[in-house]
Amino acid sequence: MGRTLENKKEIVADLKVSLSESTLALVIDYQGLTVAEITDLRRRLRPSGTVCKVTKNTFMGIAIQDEEKWQPLSELLNGASAFLLVKEDFSSAIKSYQEFQKVTKKTELRGGVMDGRLLKETDVKALGDLPSKEQLMAQIAGAINALATKVAVGINEVPSSLARAIQAIADKEQGGSTESTESTESAESASE
């Protein structure tokens, strides 16, 4: 039994919503994957906020029709397509897909689209090599912590330096007064 027109419109509307929430769309050739393998792929992608949509190319074509940002996706719409729609953490999503691909060896990445640009497989791999959102946040937190530590040490050093300078002046004056006392005493003893 075929899909009704209403059902097709729902599918296209759902794709439009998913695309509007996405920053990156990847297209993979999923031919030969079992239902269990597709479920495994979806499970792996879920922590990164990525949705795996298996739909007809014509539905995706209709969904991107009025979306200039997703127009380059039309070049990738051929064969059995699965669409990985990444919301935020594209580095983790790409790494999750690459791990899945190594295990199954059944899928092939055709490319992707990000900010209206068509991405080749090498571009997608380069994006996957970037640090994940959590790693970047940790690096930024570490840099901020290091800066705060340096500021605290610098602020703490000012009173210490001032105290050492005052002590050095006091020692010098005390040493100078001792010398003048000794020279006065030696002059008095010489005159006697």
Side-chain angles (χ1 to χ4, degrees):
M1 185 170 135
R3 297 182 190 269
T4 64
L5 182 60
E6 191 62 36
N7 187 270
K8 291 176 184 179
K9 286 181 180 180
E10 286 176 17
I11 292 170
V12 171
D14 181 52
L15 287 172
K16 284 184 177 188
V17 169
S18 295
L19 284 168
S20 70
E21 297 171 348
S22 301
T23 58
L24 171 68
L26 300 175
V27 181
I28 63 170
D29 184 350
Y30 78 97
Q31 193 165 5
L33 287 181
T34 65
V35 173
E37 289 169 330
I38 292 173
T39 303
D40 180 42
L41 175 60
R42 287 180 171 142
R43 182 189 53 77
R44 289 173 187 250
L45 294 171
R46 196 170 296 124
S48 65
T50 303
V51 179
C52 177
K53 297 278 187 183
V54 177
T55 188
K56 289 185 174 186
N57 292 328
T58 52
F59 292 152
M60 184 57 82
I62 294 168
I64 65 171
Q65 201 168 23
D66 300 328
E67 300 291 329
E68 187 178 325
K69 153 179 172 176
W70 300 112
Q71 283 298 311
L73 204 57
S74 61
E75 295 179 35
L76 304 171
L77 300 179
N78 53 23
S81 301
F83 303 94
L84 309 182
L85 305 176
V86 185
K87 292 181 182 175
E88 289 181 14
D89 194 1
F90 53 81
S91 178
S92 293
I94 293 168
K95 287 174 184 168
S96 296
Y97 167 71
Q98 288 171 338
E99 289 171 10
F100 172 79
Q101 204 279 331
K102 283 179 187 175
V103 171
T104 62
K105 295 181 176 38
K106 291 182 180 179
T107 63
E108 182 182 322
L109 179 67
R110 286 195 206 127
V113 174
M114 183 177 199
D115 294 328
R117 273 192 58 221
L118 182 66
L119 303 174
K120 304 268 187 240
E121 188 176 356
T122 54
D123 300 328
V124 173
K125 285 182 180 178
L127 283 175
D129 291 338
L130 293 174
S132 69
K133 183 178 176 181
E134 289 80 21
Q135 290 171 324
L136 286 173
M137 288 172 61
Q139 288 173 354
I140 291 169
I144 290 171
N145 190 22
L147 180 62
T149 302
K150 286 181 182 179
V151 168
V153 167
I155 289 171
N156 193 29
E157 190 61 33
V158 170
S160 300
S161 297
L162 184 61
R164 283 193 297 273
I166 291 171
Q167 185 64 45
I169 292 170
D171 289 347
K172 186 175 182 182
E173 285 181 2
Q174 195 175 37
S177 63
T178 305
E179 286 176 14
S180 62
T181 306
E182 289 174 0
S183 59
T184 307
E185 289 175 0
S186 57
E188 287 176 358
S189 60
S191 62
E192 290 177 0

